[in-house]
Amino acid sequence: MAGFSVSATSIPPDCVPQDPSSRLARRTRFLALYDVWCESVLRWIRALGGPEADRDDIAQEVFLVASRRLHAFDGSHPAAWLYRITQRQVRDFRRRIWIKSIFTREHTDAVDGLPDDASGPAGALEHKQSQHILLALLSKMNVDRRAAFVLFEIDGLSGEEIARIQAVPVNTVWRRLHVARKELLALVARHQRGYDPTAPALGRRSKAAGA
């Protein structure tokens, strides 16, 4: 059996229906979905290349996403629906590990294509270039969301600690993190397709050329 559990208490407060009967029905439906598909999701994560040590964490994210989207799911083809969510969560997890590893170097064995410290100066240079790219990607984000993301994902602070630092409610921190993750993952995806965040903007190049 899986080493984690998901319950209605895991669903973000703004996603829970206020009507008690609706809340109970949703809780029952969600737990039934979890009981039936938990082991399958764990197998899919392994098949999709999710690191063994992180399978439970990825599965937790899969079912949290499923809980938020359950109201829009018509109940047909649950395997295909959950598999698509799992695919995205494994992909996003690998990107987050890539982002974090650039600074911490703690999870290099979980991600393909990261430079090996044993490769000497060439590997060190590639790592420094990756840091430069990540900092450039982070610079494209809203300053409050970026700060929340770095404090949570890289520095390891809790949501409550970040709320105290930023002087905002905890729910605001979670919203900022949710948007920041989507924003940064989209930027990483653009970079992987060839976007260079370190290149000067066209407008600035034009002005410099005309000077």
Side-chain angles (χ1 to χ4, degrees):
M1 198 63 188
F4 70 96
S5 63
V6 178
S7 68
T9 58
S10 302
I11 303 173
D14 56 348
C15 297
V16 178
Q18 296 305 307
D19 177 62
S21 60
S22 298
R23 192 158 58 240
L24 178 60
R26 177 169 175 170
R27 181 179 188 275
T28 301
R29 186 183 179 198
F30 171 73
L31 292 178
L33 183 79
Y34 171 77
D35 287 341
V36 171
W37 292 102
C38 173
E39 294 299 333
S40 295
V41 166
L42 288 168
R43 286 195 298 271
W44 296 337
I45 292 168
R46 176 184 293 163
L48 290 164
E52 185 73 20
D54 298 301
R55 280 200 307 151
D56 287 351
D57 289 340
I58 299 171
Q60 178 99 1
E61 290 298 322
V62 169
F63 282 103
L64 287 175
V65 171
S67 75
R68 290 195 293 267
R69 298 181 181 173
L70 195 57
H71 69 283
F73 177 51
D74 63 7
S76 62
H77 308 298
W81 182 66
L82 281 171
Y83 185 78
R84 286 194 297 272
I85 294 175
T86 304
Q87 280 183 309
R88 287 191 291 269
Q89 290 306 309
V90 170
R91 178 201 65 195
D92 290 352
F93 178 85
R94 290 173 67 84
R95 286 176 178 164
R96 289 198 301 271
I97 290 297
W98 175 79
I99 290 164
K100 186 180 292 187
S101 70
I102 290 174
F103 288 112
T104 67
R105 309 298 296 159
E106 290 174 353
H107 302 285
T108 53
D109 60 332
V111 184
D112 296 331
L114 287 176
D116 184 350
D117 288 340
S119 61
L125 177 60
E126 186 176 351
H127 176 58
K128 187 172 183 179
Q129 289 171 338
S130 295
Q131 281 191 332
H132 184 54
I133 290 169
L134 178 56
L135 290 171
L137 291 172
L138 288 169
S139 73
K140 308 296 182 185
M141 298 169 59
N142 167 275
V143 62
D144 291 328
R145 292 197 294 268
R146 180 176 69 235
F149 177 87
V150 171
L151 290 170
F152 186 83
E153 296 285 2
I154 297 173
D155 293 340
L157 273 64
S158 69
E160 290 74 15
E161 289 171 320
I162 297 170
R164 288 195 293 271
I165 291 170
Q166 295 191 329
V168 295
V170 175
N171 281 346
T172 299
V173 172
W174 298 134
R175 282 194 295 271
R176 286 177 178 175
L177 285 170
H178 176 69
V179 176
R181 285 168 178 154
K182 293 178 64 176
E183 189 176 0
L184 184 56
L185 291 175
L187 286 167
V188 170
R190 283 185 63 196
H191 169 61
Q192 291 174 337
R193 293 194 300 268
Y195 166 63
D196 182 3
T198 66
L202 181 61
R204 289 197 293 270
R205 285 203 302 267
S206 299
K207 288 180 181 178

